[in-house]
Amino acid sequence: MRDTILPVALLAAALGMALSFSDRMTARNAAIVTLVTAVLVTVMPFGAVPKPVAFTAMWLSIIVVAASVHFAGLHRPVVFYILAVNAGLWSGVITHVSGNSEALMALPLVCLFLPGLYVVGRGWGVGIKVVCSWLIAIAALEIGLMSVPTPGYAPDHMD
């Protein structure tokens, strides 16, 4: 999946669901930190990052952010801000490397924390954990697919 919109959307959704386990002020501020970081990294000139490295880091970030919902000891404001900066950093790197700034349009999915706060407040946080587990599986499969040559994506002996 070399499209930039879907990985950015999945990372923003994972962060939004992770922020559902924080308080409203921390979640709002972390979402703002993510948006600002992503925009700054996107427009900032920096050296070339190879696309495979950027995409692998992006998928690993999705795994880390989605896995954070399963560890109650990590539900502290400083951890949420670190996850927010990480999400903004890799979203910005992906959009910068690919040159597709339209991918930033997927970042408002971080606002999934708004219904998520209600869901967790009602004691239904297990639903968010299930969705995050699906995101972990998707990201792990994408990392695996990046290392396996897929017919049609690269020239082979028949070309």
Side-chain angles (χ1 to χ4, degrees), residues 67-96:
S68 71
V69 302
H70 297 288
F71 301 104
L74 294 178
H75 297 165
R76 287 180 277 172
V78 68
V79 174
F80 291 120
Y81 289 123
I82 291 169
L83 292 173
V85 169
N86 179 50
L89 171 74
W90 290 110
S91 296
V93 168
I94 288 292
T95 55
H96 180 81

Short mmCIF file of all heavy atoms in Angstrom, two decimals, residues 67-96:
data_model
loop_
_atom_site.label_atom_id
_atom_site.label_comp_id
_atom_site.label_asym_id
_atom_site.label_seq_id
_atom_site.Cartn_x
_atom_site.Cartn_y
_atom_site.Cartn_z
N ALA A 67 -1.37 -0.50 20.24
CA ALA A 67 -1.08 -1.39 21.36
C ALA A 67 -1.14 -0.67 22.70
O ALA A 67 -1.36 -1.30 23.74
CB ALA A 67 0.28 -2.04 21.17
N SER A 68 -0.98 0.64 22.68
CA SER A 68 -0.97 1.39 23.94
C SER A 68 -2.30 1.32 24.68
O SER A 68 -2.34 1.50 25.89
CB SER A 68 -0.59 2.85 23.69
OG SER A 68 -1.63 3.53 23.03
N VAL A 69 -3.39 1.03 23.98
CA VAL A 69 -4.68 0.96 24.67
C VAL A 69 -4.78 -0.27 25.56
O VAL A 69 -5.59 -0.30 26.48
CB VAL A 69 -5.87 0.96 23.67
CG1 VAL A 69 -5.85 2.18 22.80
CG2 VAL A 69 -5.91 -0.30 22.84
N HIS A 70 -3.95 -1.27 25.31
CA HIS A 70 -4.02 -2.51 26.07
C HIS A 70 -3.24 -2.46 27.38
O HIS A 70 -3.33 -3.38 28.19
CB HIS A 70 -3.50 -3.68 25.23
CG HIS A 70 -4.33 -3.93 24.01
ND1 HIS A 70 -5.58 -4.48 24.07
CD2 HIS A 70 -4.09 -3.68 22.69
CE1 HIS A 70 -6.10 -4.57 22.85
NE2 HIS A 70 -5.20 -4.09 22.00
N PHE A 71 -2.47 -1.40 27.60
CA PHE A 71 -1.65 -1.28 28.80
C PHE A 71 -2.13 -0.10 29.64
O PHE A 71 -1.82 1.06 29.36
CB PHE A 71 -0.18 -1.09 28.42
CG PHE A 71 0.36 -2.23 27.60
CD1 PHE A 71 0.55 -2.09 26.23
CD2 PHE A 71 0.67 -3.45 28.19
CE1 PHE A 71 1.04 -3.12 25.46
CE2 PHE A 71 1.15 -4.50 27.42
CZ PHE A 71 1.34 -4.34 26.06
N ALA A 72 -2.87 -0.40 30.69
CA ALA A 72 -3.46 0.65 31.53
C ALA A 72 -2.39 1.49 32.21
O ALA A 72 -2.62 2.67 32.49
CB ALA A 72 -4.38 0.02 32.57
N GLY A 73 -1.22 0.94 32.45
CA GLY A 73 -0.14 1.69 33.07
C GLY A 73 0.40 2.81 32.19
O GLY A 73 1.07 3.72 32.68
N LEU A 74 0.11 2.75 30.89
CA LEU A 74 0.58 3.78 29.96
C LEU A 74 -0.41 4.92 29.79
O LEU A 74 -0.14 5.85 29.04
CB LEU A 74 0.86 3.16 28.59
CG LEU A 74 1.99 2.16 28.51
CD1 LEU A 74 2.11 1.60 27.10
CD2 LEU A 74 3.31 2.80 28.93
N HIS A 75 -1.53 4.86 30.46
CA HIS A 75 -2.56 5.88 30.28
C HIS A 75 -2.27 7.09 31.16
O HIS A 75 -3.01 7.41 32.10
CB HIS A 75 -3.95 5.30 30.58
CG HIS A 75 -4.32 4.20 29.64
ND1 HIS A 75 -5.35 3.34 29.88
CD2 HIS A 75 -3.80 3.81 28.45
CE1 HIS A 75 -5.46 2.48 28.90
NE2 HIS A 75 -4.51 2.74 28.03
N ARG A 76 -1.16 7.78 30.82
CA ARG A 76 -0.75 9.01 31.50
C ARG A 76 -0.59 10.10 30.46
O ARG A 76 -0.26 9.83 29.30
CB ARG A 76 0.56 8.78 32.24
CG ARG A 76 0.38 7.91 33.48
CD ARG A 76 1.67 7.71 34.16
NE ARG A 76 2.32 6.60 33.44
CZ ARG A 76 3.55 6.20 33.64
NH1 ARG A 76 4.30 6.81 34.50
NH2 ARG A 76 4.04 5.19 32.97
N PRO A 77 -0.79 11.36 30.85
CA PRO A 77 -0.71 12.45 29.87
C PRO A 77 0.60 12.51 29.10
O PRO A 77 0.60 12.71 27.89
CB PRO A 77 -0.91 13.71 30.72
CG PRO A 77 -1.72 13.26 31.87
CD PRO A 77 -1.26 11.85 32.15
N VAL A 78 1.73 12.28 29.75
CA VAL A 78 3.01 12.37 29.05
C VAL A 78 3.11 11.32 27.96
O VAL A 78 3.64 11.58 26.87
CB VAL A 78 4.19 12.29 30.05
CG1 VAL A 78 4.29 10.92 30.68
CG2 VAL A 78 5.49 12.66 29.36
N VAL A 79 2.57 10.14 28.19
CA VAL A 79 2.60 9.08 27.18
C VAL A 79 1.72 9.47 26.00
O VAL A 79 2.09 9.26 24.85
CB VAL A 79 2.15 7.73 27.79
CG1 VAL A 79 2.02 6.66 26.73
CG2 VAL A 79 3.12 7.30 28.89
N PHE A 80 0.56 10.05 26.27
CA PHE A 80 -0.32 10.47 25.18
C PHE A 80 0.32 11.56 24.33
O PHE A 80 0.17 11.57 23.11
CB PHE A 80 -1.68 10.94 25.73
CG PHE A 80 -2.49 9.82 26.31
CD1 PHE A 80 -2.88 9.84 27.64
CD2 PHE A 80 -2.87 8.73 25.53
CE1 PHE A 80 -3.63 8.82 28.16
CE2 PHE A 80 -3.62 7.69 26.06
CZ PHE A 80 -4.00 7.73 27.39
N TYR A 81 1.06 12.47 24.97
CA TYR A 81 1.74 13.51 24.19
C TYR A 81 2.88 12.93 23.35
O TYR A 81 3.11 13.36 22.22
CB TYR A 81 2.26 14.63 25.10
CG TYR A 81 1.16 15.48 25.67
CD1 TYR A 81 1.00 15.63 27.04
CD2 TYR A 81 0.25 16.12 24.83
CE1 TYR A 81 -0.02 16.41 27.56
CE2 TYR A 81 -0.78 16.90 25.35
CZ TYR A 81 -0.90 17.04 26.71
OH TYR A 81 -1.91 17.81 27.22
N ILE A 82 3.59 11.95 23.90
CA ILE A 82 4.65 11.29 23.12
C ILE A 82 4.05 10.57 21.92
O ILE A 82 4.58 10.66 20.80
CB ILE A 82 5.45 10.32 24.02
CG1 ILE A 82 6.27 11.09 25.04
CG2 ILE A 82 6.33 9.40 23.18
CD1 ILE A 82 6.90 10.24 26.12
N LEU A 83 2.94 9.88 22.13
CA LEU A 83 2.27 9.20 21.01
C LEU A 83 1.77 10.20 19.98
O LEU A 83 1.82 9.95 18.77
CB LEU A 83 1.10 8.36 21.52
CG LEU A 83 1.45 7.13 22.38
CD1 LEU A 83 0.19 6.50 22.94
CD2 LEU A 83 2.27 6.14 21.59
N ALA A 84 1.31 11.36 20.44
CA ALA A 84 0.81 12.39 19.53
C ALA A 84 1.94 12.96 18.68
O ALA A 84 1.78 13.15 17.46
CB ALA A 84 0.13 13.50 20.32
N VAL A 85 3.09 13.24 19.30
CA VAL A 85 4.23 13.75 18.53
C VAL A 85 4.71 12.70 17.54
O VAL A 85 5.02 13.01 16.39
CB VAL A 85 5.37 14.18 19.48
CG1 VAL A 85 6.65 14.47 18.72
CG2 VAL A 85 4.95 15.40 20.29
N ASN A 86 4.75 11.45 17.96
CA ASN A 86 5.16 10.36 17.07
C ASN A 86 4.22 10.26 15.88
O ASN A 86 4.66 10.13 14.73
CB ASN A 86 5.19 9.04 17.85
CG ASN A 86 5.57 7.88 16.98
OD1 ASN A 86 6.57 7.91 16.26
ND2 ASN A 86 4.77 6.84 17.02
N ALA A 87 2.92 10.30 16.13
CA ALA A 87 1.95 10.21 15.05
C ALA A 87 2.07 11.39 14.09
O ALA A 87 2.03 11.23 12.87
CB ALA A 87 0.53 10.13 15.62
N GLY A 88 2.24 12.58 14.63
CA GLY A 88 2.41 13.76 13.78
C GLY A 88 3.70 13.71 12.98
O GLY A 88 3.72 14.07 11.80
N LEU A 89 4.76 13.23 13.61
CA LEU A 89 6.06 13.14 12.94
C LEU A 89 5.97 12.21 11.73
O LEU A 89 6.34 12.60 10.61
CB LEU A 89 7.13 12.64 13.91
CG LEU A 89 8.48 12.30 13.30
CD1 LEU A 89 9.21 13.58 12.94
CD2 LEU A 89 9.29 11.45 14.23
N TRP A 90 5.48 11.00 11.92
CA TRP A 90 5.47 10.05 10.81
C TRP A 90 4.41 10.37 9.78
O TRP A 90 4.59 10.09 8.60
CB TRP A 90 5.37 8.62 11.33
CG TRP A 90 6.65 8.24 11.98
CD1 TRP A 90 6.87 8.05 13.31
CD2 TRP A 90 7.93 8.13 11.35
NE1 TRP A 90 8.20 7.80 13.53
CE2 TRP A 90 8.87 7.84 12.35
CE3 TRP A 90 8.37 8.24 10.03
CZ2 TRP A 90 10.22 7.64 12.08
CZ3 TRP A 90 9.71 8.04 9.76
CH2 TRP A 90 10.62 7.75 10.76
N SER A 91 3.31 10.98 10.19
CA SER A 91 2.33 11.44 9.19
C SER A 91 2.95 12.52 8.32
O SER A 91 2.76 12.53 7.09
CB SER A 91 1.08 11.98 9.89
OG SER A 91 0.43 10.98 10.60
N GLY A 92 3.70 13.42 8.94
CA GLY A 92 4.38 14.46 8.18
C GLY A 92 5.47 13.92 7.27
O GLY A 92 5.62 14.36 6.13
N VAL A 93 6.23 12.95 7.77
CA VAL A 93 7.31 12.36 6.96
C VAL A 93 6.72 11.66 5.74
O VAL A 93 7.21 11.81 4.61
CB VAL A 93 8.18 11.39 7.79
CG1 VAL A 93 9.09 10.57 6.90
CG2 VAL A 93 8.99 12.16 8.81
N ILE A 94 5.66 10.89 5.93
CA ILE A 94 5.05 10.18 4.81
C ILE A 94 4.53 11.16 3.77
O ILE A 94 4.72 10.96 2.57
CB ILE A 94 3.91 9.27 5.32
CG1 ILE A 94 4.48 8.08 6.06
CG2 ILE A 94 3.00 8.81 4.20
CD1 ILE A 94 5.23 7.10 5.20
N THR A 95 3.86 12.20 4.20
CA THR A 95 3.32 13.16 3.23
C THR A 95 4.45 13.94 2.56
O THR A 95 4.35 14.27 1.38
CB THR A 95 2.33 14.13 3.89
OG1 THR A 95 2.95 14.77 5.00
CG2 THR A 95 1.09 13.41 4.33
N HIS A 96 5.51 14.21 3.29
CA HIS A 96 6.65 14.93 2.70
C HIS A 96 7.38 14.06 1.68
O HIS A 96 7.70 14.52 0.58
CB HIS A 96 7.62 15.35 3.81
CG HIS A 96 8.81 16.10 3.31
ND1 HIS A 96 8.76 17.44 3.01
CD2 HIS A 96 10.07 15.69 3.05
CE1 HIS A 96 9.95 17.83 2.58
NE2 HIS A 96 10.77 16.79 2.60
#
